[in-house]
Amino acid sequence: MEHQRAERPDAKRGQPLKDTNLDSFRLTSTAAFFLFAAVNLLAAITAPIQDCDEVFNYWEPTHYLNHGFGLQTWEYSPEYAIRSWLYILLHSLPGKIVSPLLPQKSSEFYLVRLLLGAVCTACETRLYLVISRFVNSRVAVYYLIAMASSSGMYYASVAYLPSSFAMYAVMLGIAQFMNQTGSRNFSWGVFSFVVGATVGWPFSAALITPLLFDSLVRACINHEIRIFLQSIFDSLVATSALVAIQVGVDSFFYRKFVFVPWRIVSYNVFGGSSRGPDIFGTESWHFYVRNLLLNFNLWFILALCAGPLLIIMLAWSSVNCHRLVWQLPYWRILVFACPFYMWLAIFSVQEHKEERFMYPAYPFLCFNAAVALHLILFGVGQMGQNATISRILPARLRLIISLSVVLGAVALGILRTAATVNAYRAPLEVYRPRQRNESYAHEETSLCIGKEWYRFPSSYFLPNNVRARFIKSAFDGLLPGQFSESPKESRFPPTWIVPPGMNDQNLEDPNKNARLLPGLDCVQC
């Protein structure tokens, strides 16, 4: 769709505004890329696994496809089928291709992480470039600082989770909606959100709602409703092809027709009182406020302030806001600020809460924070026009205070990341030497895990003839079982076999405990 410029009469249609003052504050795309890449590379190598769902719902099925064995959760039972094998297949192929060249299985684990970091880097850089070109170059730099320094992004960038995949797609979608050079950007923007919702996490589709509404309103105002509908049609065609591929892959793996995104929504929204997410634990309404304060510190506070500041400045725009040199119309900046508030409100009222549920909204959070910081610094700069304030707070002092606050937020983020890496990296280090233990070389054995089963870093850290087993602990929910192993001469693991003892109500199955397995002496574990 074509978009009108509202800020400067000299701007050409579809072209970003130029401003020499902003050019001096611009960071090159190459510099931004290498900064994002350095942070994500470090995260891929050092970040601990924060969520046991990442291990049991994603790393273990990937290990199963590539190595023939692994732990299976109830979600992968064909009886329930609420996890997509297409998402697993996309991540298993790189490891399968290069595994003969790698010295040990954990190298395959880190390879996949590095690829996730590379994809995230590309998406972050793309959004940075679009913000710089079509919004404001200073806002782009603030966005880069927030993304690169926050503890939340450090972990989300390389997490093997559908919510992280959705976050990548959201970044590409935002970039396409901000780009004003043609109708194809709108179609690709919609499709990016669709990819994140179908292959990744279905609920992430909610983030596109304000952007679609804005596009529809502008199409009506500009008499471009036909172009809008054509763009929607193009997106639907691409979506249909993607859904066909996903249904085909998942139906092959489960040996029955399944559309996994719908099954995920059905279980989580219409599961009933004995099913659904709430049976896995609930938190108070302010859980995400506390979590985001820890992971984003000042940036989260700024993100909350962006909307009110934009409204205040919008009311002031006829006199002063032209000095901010927005490339987009002012009200469109407000539209891009809305999804974060909507997402935070929706998930704050849900009783079941997890940190990873916020991942798709992280790009919007950092964008909001960058906009708010730009507005505040603009306001601080305007203080210099008041003679009294200028005497009390000279320009240099205002600059020092502003830099101190921003650098303080960066330091807090780095310290938070360093502290969590240092405190929670033990499982990755403890299990790594077991791959090289020669006592496991000629016999099949078991590694028994007790009450800290949720810290198990995946079978990638065990030799091929060692299986992880669980012993009885205080945990009384449903533990993972074992995927059905195929004969060595088989080329494909039997993912369609219904495992015993699975249920969707988190009810304990005693047979998942190793001490009840025949022929297994857990005294030696």
Side-chain angles (χ1 to χ4, degrees):
M1 297 177 63
E2 298 290 340
H3 303 287
Q4 292 283 357
R5 294 285 174 210
E7 298 299 321
R8 291 263 293 274
D10 57 331
K12 294 182 179 179
R13 188 177 178 87
Q15 296 297 322
L17 298 172
K18 298 293 183 181
D19 190 277
T20 55
N21 293 328
L22 293 182
D23 288 340
S24 62
F25 203 76
R26 194 183 304 273
L27 192 67
T28 66
S29 59
T30 303
F33 174 84
F34 280 110
L35 179 58
F36 284 132
V39 174
N40 294 338
L41 172 64
L42 189 63
I45 297 172
T46 65
I49 298 174
Q50 290 195 306
D51 194 325
C52 65
D53 266 7
E54 182 178 350
V55 171
F56 298 116
N57 273 324
Y58 305 104
W59 283 115
E60 285 297 298
T62 303
H63 185 275
Y64 177 56
L65 288 188
N66 288 355
H67 300 279
F69 70 94
L71 294 167
Q72 181 180 22
T73 61
W74 67 270
E75 290 97 328
Y76 285 92
S77 170
E79 184 179 358
Y80 307 107
I82 66 168
R83 292 289 180 262
S84 175
W85 281 104
L86 175 61
Y87 178 68
I88 300 300
L89 191 63
L90 291 174
H91 294 77
S92 69
L93 287 176
K96 187 70 172 179
I97 293 171
V98 303
S99 59
L101 305 176
L102 300 176
Q104 52 194 24
K105 283 196 299 181
S106 63
S107 300
E108 190 177 329
F109 172 91
Y110 286 107
L111 171 67
V112 174
R113 270 194 160 192
L114 287 170
L115 291 176
L116 291 173
V119 172
C120 187
T121 296
C123 296
E124 288 173 315
T125 306
R126 170 62 180 166
L127 182 53
Y128 166 81
L129 288 173
V130 171
I131 293 173
S132 180
R133 185 182 179 194
F134 290 98
V135 179
N136 183 287
S137 61
R138 297 190 181 191
V139 171
V141 172
Y142 302 147
Y143 152 83
L144 180 148
I145 295 172
M147 293 281 280
S149 66
S150 64
S151 182
M153 273 304 302
Y154 189 83
Y155 292 105
S157 62
V158 296
Y160 184 5
L161 290 166
S163 50
S164 282
F165 182 89
M167 180 185 71
Y168 306 155
V170 163
M171 284 189 274
L172 294 178
I174 299 170
Q176 295 305 114
F177 272 93
M178 284 182 179
N179 193 332
Q180 305 185 80
T181 55
S183 59
R184 286 188 177 274
N185 288 312
F186 174 76
S187 300
W188 282 112
V190 173
F191 185 64
S192 295
F193 279 94
V194 168
V195 171
T198 53
V199 181
W201 198 35
F203 301 103
S204 66
L207 287 165
I208 199 178
T209 307
L211 309 184
L212 276 180
F213 181 75
D214 165 64
S215 298
L216 175 60
V217 170
R218 287 185 296 110
C220 293
I221 293 173
N222 297 329
H223 305 290
E224 296 176 339
I225 193 68
R226 187 184 64 80
I227 299 176
F228 175 83
L229 293 176
Q230 180 62 49
S231 299
I232 291 292
F233 177 78
D234 293 342
S235 302
L236 289 176
V237 170
T239 298
S240 300
L242 177 64
V243 168
I245 293 172
Q246 183 178 42
V247 169
V249 171
D250 288 333
S251 298
F252 171 79
F253 276 85
Y254 286 118
R255 291 296 195 268
K256 67 176 186 179
F257 179 85
V258 291
F259 180 47
V260 170
W262 164 247
R263 297 177 77 95
I264 293 174
V265 173
S266 177
Y267 177 80
N268 285 280
V269 178
F270 309 111
S273 58
S274 63
R275 295 175 175 82
D278 292 355
I279 65 175
F280 298 100
T282 60
E283 296 287 346
S284 59
W285 67 268
H286 49 78
F287 172 84
Y288 288 124
V289 174
R290 293 181 283 115
N291 179 266
L292 293 173
L293 275 173
L294 282 173
N295 284 328
F296 287 90
N297 56 78
L298 177 65
W299 303 113
F300 172 59
I301 298 172
L302 288 170
L304 293 177
C305 295
L309 287 173
L310 281 166
I311 293 172
I312 292 171
M313 298 296 274
L314 184 60
W316 196 35
S317 61
S318 60
V319 179
N320 289 290
C321 278
H322 66 279
R323 300 175 188 174
L324 285 163
V325 196
W326 296 109
Q327 321 303 41
L328 289 177
Y330 210 88
W331 55 273
R332 287 210 68 207
I333 306 295
L334 187 58
V335 168
F336 284 108
C338 287
F340 171 68
Y341 296 107
M342 182 188 69
W343 190 262
L344 182 61
I346 290 173
F347 281 89
S348 291
V349 299
Q350 307 301 315
E351 293 191 5
H352 180 64
K353 299 177 177 67
E354 297 188 38
E355 180 177 316
R356 58 192 167 99
F357 294 170
M358 284 290 110
Y359 286 2
Y362 280 1
F364 283 108
L365 185 158
C366 292
F367 174 74
N368 281 22
V371 168
L373 180 60
H374 182 51
L375 292 173
I376 291 171
L377 293 180
F378 170 76
V380 171
Q382 292 298 297
M383 291 180 182
Q385 296 183 4
N386 185 298
T388 303
I389 295 178
S390 183
R391 285 195 299 270
I392 299 173
L393 292 173
R396 181 171 297 180
L397 180 59
R398 295 198 303 272
L399 176 62
I400 291 173
I401 293 173
S402 301
L403 284 176
S404 298
V405 172
V406 174
L407 292 177
V410 171
L412 281 175
I414 294 173
L415 290 173
R416 162 77 177 171
T417 300
T420 51
V421 168
N422 183 62
Y424 296 103
R425 186 168 166 75
L428 294 175
E429 300 297 334
V430 168
Y431 281 87
R432 193 197 307 257
R434 295 189 176 276
Q435 295 178 86
R436 300 185 292 272
N437 194 325
E438 295 182 0
S439 64
Y440 300 144
H442 304 293
E443 59 178 10
E444 185 168 320
T445 186
S446 298
L447 176 70
C448 291
I449 307 170
K451 65 178 182 179
E452 295 201 348
W453 58 272
Y454 54 88
R455 299 192 190 278
F456 176 59
S458 82
S459 297
Y460 278 102
F461 293 83
L462 298 179
N464 278 327
N465 53 351
V466 176
R467 305 291 185 268
R469 311 282 186 186
F470 302 107
I471 57 177
K472 179 60 181 175
S473 66
F475 180 73
D476 59 357
L478 182 64
L479 288 166
Q482 299 285 334
F483 276 108
S484 298
E485 296 185 25
S486 59
K488 292 184 178 180
E489 61 273 11
S490 176
R491 293 185 177 182
F492 198 84
T495 55
W496 54 89
I497 295 178
V498 178
M502 294 295 187
N503 64 80
D504 61 353
Q505 301 177 58
N506 200 28
L507 300 176
E508 183 179 17
D509 174 24
N511 292 317
K512 296 291 192 299
N513 295 319
R515 61 184 176 84
L516 298 180
L517 293 177
L520 186 63
D521 182 8
C522 276
V523 174
Q524 298 177 3
C525 289

